[in-house]
Amino acid sequence: MVRNPLPPARRFLQAIATAAGLSATGLSAAGLSAAAVANEQPFSSWVGELRQEALGNGISPALLDTVLPGLEPIPRVIELDRRQPEGTMTFATYRTRVVAQQRVDQGRQRLAENGPLLEAVQARYGVPARFIVALWGVETSYGRVTGGFPVVASLATLAYDGRRSAFFRGELMNALRILQEGHITPDGMLGSWAGAMGQSQFMPSSFLRFAVDHDGDGRRDIWTNRADVFASIANYLASSGWVTGVTWGREVRVPAGLPAGGAEDQRPLAEWARMGVVQADGAPLPTADLDAGLVLPERDGTGPAFLVYENYRVLLRWNRSNYFALAVSELADRLVQP
């Protein structure tokens, strides 16, 4: 979900809802009550203004004549946007469900069957194949759960709604640009209810910045082309500061009462060692010249602890959630463990 603007628990429940078939968009605009959106302007006139703005941004009349007629708000999108279950799921629950053995087994299979392609992408971008596959697995279950909402209609619904209209209007314009460049057809541009698209779950702005045409066919296809999916994930991480040759961090034991400043409070490993931090199995910390931050993901400060390096902070740029970044990191490790 790159740049999916949702908290971790909310994103997880969104994925569960999609997998359960709750992403149907067959509700009509008539089902959208007057109280459901904050915008009092009639939707038809709002679309008229949107068309003029799009024309001014260089979007072709022909494309607009294809995607705008019949466009209606999707009540289900508003319903999902109004739900706020974040803060109710513990890290232990999230970890168990997201890094399940079935996902590990499937990931090992995907890692093996895409070996040559992943090796080529890793060589080009310096991002290990296991992290590419882990992100793919956590975001969309290796391309299986990508969302069934029409992206233009979803983004139009959220842009018309008054809560975060500026953000989603910008994403809508980006989606129109992607269509105009011919990377995907309007019917094929499907994603989550919040507009995250394809097997990498890029928001349109992230697509324009990071998506890659790895196979050189003239399209950046993150929906059906694994070469483009893998390269786009790797390009996002590399462009966000991935450090080649360094892992993400490790689970550790900490003395009682040791404060955790999070991933941004970086200190040398030697300093953490002097403070009594050891590896999860009780062994001393490595003597590498690395800085690390201490993360305690459970909200009450109990549970597991992790020392995290710069590449962990890169994963947080993908999704600002310790739950998400730790799940991706653990899955990446387990994909290559005996």
Side-chain angles (χ1 to χ4, degrees), residues 97-259:
R97 295 182 184 180
V98 175
V99 195
Q101 187 61 47
Q102 181 181 21
R103 180 164 284 163
V104 174
D105 294 341
Q106 291 173 344
R108 289 171 177 168
Q109 181 179 351
R110 300 296 181 272
L111 192 64
E113 69 189 21
N114 294 283
L117 173 58
L118 286 164
E119 288 173 7
V121 172
Q122 176 176 319
R124 179 172 180 179
Y125 295 98
V127 177
R130 63 192 178 102
F131 284 96
I132 298 170
V133 173
L135 274 164
W136 183 38
V138 172
E139 283 287 9
T140 61
S141 290
Y142 309 110
R144 186 178 62 84
V145 183
T146 60
F149 285 88
V151 168
V152 169
S154 293
L155 292 173
T157 301
L158 293 166
Y160 175 62
D161 182 26
R163 297 203 314 147
R164 293 172 290 168
S165 58
F167 171 78
F168 286 109
R169 193 179 185 100
E171 293 294 347
L172 177 55
M173 287 295 167
N174 289 330
L176 294 174
R177 179 179 164 189
I178 292 166
L179 290 172
Q180 178 150 302
E181 291 178 358
H183 300 292
I184 191 70
T185 65
D187 288 343
M189 184 181 262
L190 301 175
S192 76
W193 65 265
M197 308 181 302
Q199 296 188 38
S200 55
Q201 290 291 278
F202 280 5
M203 293 297 288
S205 56
S206 293
F207 179 99
L208 292 173
R209 291 182 63 193
F210 302 115
V212 171
D213 174 19
H214 185 77
D215 64 357
D217 67 355
R219 298 188 302 123
R220 294 182 276 172
D221 181 3
I222 61 172
W223 290 267
T224 65
N225 188 320
R226 285 190 180 181
D228 291 0
V229 171
F230 297 160
S232 297
I233 291 172
N235 185 47
Y236 187 104
L237 296 179
S239 299
S240 300
W242 189 270
V243 181
T244 302
V246 178
T247 188
W248 65 274
R250 66 188 64 249
E251 189 167 352
V252 295
R253 295 182 193 174
V254 299
L258 185 66

Side-chain angles (χ1 to χ4, degrees), residues 7-19 22 80 83-86 88-89 94 97 193:
R10 193 170 177 185
R11 286 167 52 81
F12 178 75
L13 293 177
Q14 168 194 315
I16 295 299
T18 302
L22 299 179
L80 289 168
R83 291 182 179 177
Q84 305 228 1
E86 61 269 21
T88 63
M89 187 181 297
Y94 181 90
R97 295 182 184 180
W193 65 265

Side-chain angles (χ1 to χ4, degrees), residues 316-336:
L316 288 178
R317 294 181 190 117
W318 180 290
N319 182 330
R320 292 187 295 273
S321 158
N322 282 315
Y323 282 22
F324 178 89
L326 288 169
V328 169
S329 300
E330 180 175 351
L331 179 57
D333 285 352
R334 291 183 64 184
L335 293 182
V336 295

